[in-house]
Amino acid sequence: MRLAIDVMGGDYAPREIVAGALQWAEQSEDTLLLVGNEYLIKEELQLYQYPTERLEIIPASQVVEMNESPASALRKKKDASIIVATRLIQAGQADAVVSCGSTGAQLAAAIFILGRLEGIDRPPIVASIPNQAGSYSLVVDVGANVDCKATQLLQFALLGKAYASIVMQLGNPRIGLLNNGEEEGKGNSLAIEAYKLLKDQKDLNFVGNIEGRDLFADKCDVIVCDGFIGNIVLKNMEGLAALVAQACIAELGRLPAFFERFDYTRVGGAPLLGVNGVSIVCHGSSKREAVFNGIKTATECVKKDIINQQKIVLQTTV
Amino acid sequence: MQEFFEIVRKILAEQLSRDESEITMESTFEELEADSIDIVEMIMALEDIYNLEFPEDDLEDYSNLGDLVKALYEYLQQVQK
């Protein structure tokens, strides 16, 4: 497998990104394409011994900064690392791209370079959260689209259904809409409109509204929300987990084993759904372990053929 | 200019699933619920039609559709001279 790594994106780029990529190269047979500033990458590589035959440097002279308008950056910075990395998939030179940089830029690159799957306006990011059944629920979208239309939430539900059937082998996953009340008619205008669309959609096992306290209650397999709310949910979980971890260490002197299920570095990254290629979005604060696991997620998505699997589900439901 | 705007209107109407009559020169992007991805998509569609590349301006500089259309049209006129 050939994996394009955006080495310039993220709070700890390029050092931690290169380190995570090298860890993956050492324990796999994959070829890693390190995309970014050639000089900086070579400087980092000098610090390690690595399998040179499975590492390639792909020069990219620009970086999309976190404060830039992603869509404008896409036009202005044609040699940005995320653009160059995504083009490698388009050119058939890479099977997946992994980035810890600007999510918006990665989204824009995926939309305009890889293209969207039929019937999809805006690709969402999917993330899994632990639930009380000892399994996981999927949350779609966790940050790619902050302003959504009701039709887009319906598309997120369909993509969530597709992804749940791929990664959780669920034939007819339960779909819930994150809202501030369980009853139909609750919520803001977006939630009310989205509820109607979800309820009317054929072949969708819509179980209704899910309140914030029921996120972990195993009431549904796929939780649909816009990226603004989804990102707050995810970051809130991170913050709460850190607070509880601190209290556990203070009282018990150690972290209980279940905490591993809340550790984002163990997941590493989440795929953008609804685009015609595997693009893995990693946390901006990723260090080497998270990068390593983000690359692992990319290889799993390629092996599971998530693009064609999504196409199959979309063809039967859209 | 009007002919150019009609092309823009047609592209946007299809992209945003709106009636063409809802799209005017005075429309703000907010009113049209068009985000920066929509605008870039529209510009790229125009680039395909006219076989050129428009300048890479900051899209945030335009407060409404009319301002953007005028800027794109002026560039088109320059190129076609």
Side-chain angles (χ1 to χ4, degrees), chain A residues 69-72 74-78 104 107-108 111-112 116 121-122 145 147 149 152, chain B residues 15-16 32-33 35-38 40-41 43-44 47 53-60:
Chain A
S69 160
S72 293
L74 186 84
R75 291 177 56 77
K76 281 191 209 167
K77 292 188 167 177
K78 293 191 167 63
L107 174 77
I111 287 176
F112 293 116
R116 285 163 287 200
D121 294 329
R122 292 287 179 275
N145 308 279
D147 291 308
K149 297 170 187 167
Q152 290 165 356
Chain B
Q15 255 180 238
L16 304 172
L32 296 172
E33 294 180 313
D35 60 19
S36 56
I37 300 272
D38 292 314
V40 168
E41 200 173 1
I43 293 172
M44 287 168 82
E47 287 177 338
E53 277 199 26
F54 287 108
E56 292 140 7
D57 291 342
D58 281 320
L59 299 171
E60 295 77 11

Side-chain angles (χ1 to χ4, degrees), chain A residues 259-273:
Chain A
F259 252 89
E260 288 185 2
R261 299 180 67 212
F262 290 89
D263 185 0
Y264 78 83
T265 62
R266 288 178 178 269
V267 179
L272 267 177
L273 299 179

